[in-house]
Amino acid sequence: MSFEIAGLTPEQNNLFPQHIPHTTFFGGIQYNCETLKDGLDVAMEFKRLLKIDKMKVLYGGIEYV
């Protein structure tokens, strides 16, 4: 499954866990996981690194709010 997190600054892109294969694009990250649970676990880990309180799971991506 492919996941995308958009609306990020270049500094936030650099904080994405390097042990997870990913592609960086202007304003976001795209990564692949085997299952939805794995993909959401990655998003939660990244959310904690960014010290963001809330996130929305959208069709086609994840948005931190």
Side-chain angles (χ1 to χ4, degrees):
M1 295 185 87
S2 179
F3 296 86
E4 186 176 290
I5 301 173
L8 301 174
T9 66
E11 293 79 19
Q12 290 172 319
N13 278 356
N14 292 335
L15 293 175
F16 192 79
Q18 296 302 306
H19 66 280
I20 299 166
H22 64 281
T23 303
T24 302
F25 59 88
F26 183 75
I29 298 279
Q30 181 180 27
Y31 61 97
N32 294 310
C33 288
E34 290 292 318
T35 67
L36 178 60
K37 182 189 179 314
D38 292 342
L40 291 176
D41 287 347
V42 169
M44 293 297 291
E45 177 184 349
F46 190 41
K47 181 174 87 68
R48 282 190 289 275
L49 286 173
L50 296 178
K51 296 181 173 79
I52 294 174
D53 294 330
K54 297 179 183 180
M55 73 179 199
K56 293 180 187 175
V57 179
L58 308 169
Y59 180 74
I62 293 165
E63 178 184 4
Y64 297 127
V65 292

